C-alpha cells in the first residue's frame, strides 16, 4: 500500500511536472510570438521616424537659411508638414500592406481549397485587417513623432540656438535609428549609424546649397 501510495505520489508529481513543462512551453511560444510581432512593428517605427527626422531636418535647414527668424513659425511649419507626412505614410503603408495581406489570404485560401474571399470575414480575415491598421498607424505615428522630437528645441531655446539644437537633434535621432537598424540587420552598429548620419549630412548640404541658389 505504501509502495502504491508512493507510486501514486510519483505519478502525480510527474503529471505536475509535465503540466509545468507544457505551461512553460506555451509561455515561451507566446513570448516568441509577441517578440516577432514587436519586431515587425519596430521596422515600421524605425522607417517612420527616419521619414519624420529627415523631413524635419530639411524644413528647419531651409527655413533658417531663407531668413525665417521666428522659431515658433518654423515649429508651426513642422507641425503642418508632420500632419501631411503622417497622412502620406498611413495611406502608403495601408495600401501596400492591404495588397500584401490580400495576397497572403488568397494563397491560404487556395492551400485550403476554399473559394477566393472565403476567409475575408472570418477570424483570420479580421486579424489580417487588424495587422494592416496597426502597421499603418505605427508608420504614420512614428513619422509624426520623429518631427516632434526634432521640433521640441524650437519651443524651449532662444533663436537661433533653437535652430541649431533642432538640426543636431534630427541628426542625433537619425544616428540612433541607424544604430538600431544595424542591430536589426546584424550589421556593425557604428557603421550603420554613420551611414544614416551621412545621409542626414547630405540632406543638410543639399538644402544649404538650394537656400543660397
Amino acid at each position: 500500500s505504501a509502495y502504491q501510495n508512493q507510486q501514486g505520489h510519483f505519478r502525480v508529481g510527474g503529471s505536475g511536472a509535465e503540466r509545468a513543462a507544457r505551461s512553460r512551453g506555451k509561455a515561451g511560444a507566446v513570448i516568441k510570438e509577441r517578440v516577432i510581432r514587436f519586431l515587425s512593428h519596430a521596422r515600421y517605427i524605425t522607417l517612420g521616424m527616419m521619414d519624420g527626422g529627415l523631413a524635419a531636418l530639411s524644413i528647419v535647414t531651409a527655413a533658417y537659411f531663407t531668413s525665417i527668424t521666428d522659431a515658433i513659425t518654423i515649429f508651426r511649419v513642422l507641425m503642418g508638414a508632420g500632419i501631411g507626412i503622417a497622412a502620406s505614410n498611413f495611406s502608403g503603408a495601408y495600401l501596400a500592406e492591404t495588397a500584401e495581406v490580400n495576397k497572403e489570404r488568397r494563397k491560404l485560401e487556395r492551400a485550403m481549397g476554399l473559394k477566393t474571399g472565403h476567409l475575408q470575414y472570418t477570424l483570420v480575415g479580421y486579424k489580417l485587417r487588424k495587422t494592416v491598421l496597426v502597421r499603418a498607424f505605427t508608420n504614420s505615428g512614428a513619422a509624426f513623432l520623429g518631427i516632434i522630437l526634432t521640433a521640441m528645441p524650437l519651443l524651449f531655446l532662444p533663436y537661433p540656438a533653437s535652430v541649431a539644437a533642432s538640426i543636431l537633434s534630427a541628426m542625433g535621432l537619425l544616428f540612433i535609428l541607424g544604430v538600431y537598424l544595424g542591430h536589426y540587420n546584424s550589421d556593425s552598429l557604428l557603421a550603420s549609424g554613420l551611414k544614416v548620419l551621412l545621409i542626414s549630412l547630405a540632406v543638410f548640404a543639399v538644402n544649404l546649397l538650394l537656400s543660397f541658389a
Side-chain angles (χ1 to χ4, degrees):
S1 176
Y3 178 71
Q4 288 177 352
N5 289 337
Q6 188 177 22
Q7 278 189 320
H9 174 73
F10 284 151
R11 282 199 297 270
V12 171
S15 177
E18 289 174 3
R19 286 197 299 270
R22 286 195 297 269
S23 298
R24 287 194 298 269
K26 290 180 180 179
V30 169
I31 292 172
K32 182 178 179 181
E33 180 185 354
R34 290 183 177 178
V35 169
I36 292 173
R37 189 183 305 168
F38 170 78
L39 289 176
S40 68
H41 296 330
R43 178 168 62 92
Y44 285 88
I45 294 173
T46 305
L47 295 176
M49 291 187 74
M50 285 185 67
D51 288 342
L54 287 171
L57 177 62
S58 294
I59 293 169
V60 173
T61 304
Y64 177 74
F65 287 104
T66 52
S67 302
I68 297 179
T69 58
D70 182 16
I72 298 300
T73 299
I74 299 175
F75 179 84
R76 289 172 177 168
V77 171
L78 282 174
M79 292 300 99
I83 293 172
I85 292 170
S88 175
N89 279 28
F90 178 87
S91 58
Y94 181 81
L95 293 173
E97 286 297 317
T98 297
E100 189 65 26
V101 161
N102 286 339
K103 180 180 176 182
E104 291 298 320
R105 177 177 53 77
R106 288 192 292 268
K107 187 186 297 184
L108 181 60
E109 287 168 344
R110 286 195 298 270
M112 296 175 66
L114 301 173
K115 293 181 179 180
T116 301
H118 184 86
L119 295 176
Q120 185 171 0
Y121 298 106
T122 63
L123 181 60
V124 173
Y126 165 76
K127 288 186 175 181
L128 291 175
R129 290 193 298 275
K130 180 182 176 182
T131 299
V132 169
L133 287 174
V134 169
R135 290 180 177 177
F137 276 115
T138 299
N139 191 264
S140 62
F144 194 73
L145 178 61
I147 287 183
I148 289 178
L149 292 175
T150 304
M152 292 309 291
L154 297 170
L155 295 177
F156 301 106
L157 295 176
Y159 184 91
S162 58
V163 173
S166 181
I167 291 173
L168 291 175
S169 296
M171 291 184 176
L173 173 65
L174 291 166
F175 176 77
I176 292 172
L177 292 173
V179 169
Y180 174 76
L181 286 175
H183 174 72
Y184 185 81
N185 297 322
S186 300
D187 293 334
S188 168
L189 303 184
L190 181 60
S192 181
L194 289 176
K195 286 178 185 177
V196 179
L197 182 60
L198 285 175
I199 293 172
S200 67
L201 289 172
V203 169
F204 176 80
V206 169
N207 279 278
L208 190 62
L209 291 173
L210 290 175
S211 298
F212 289 102

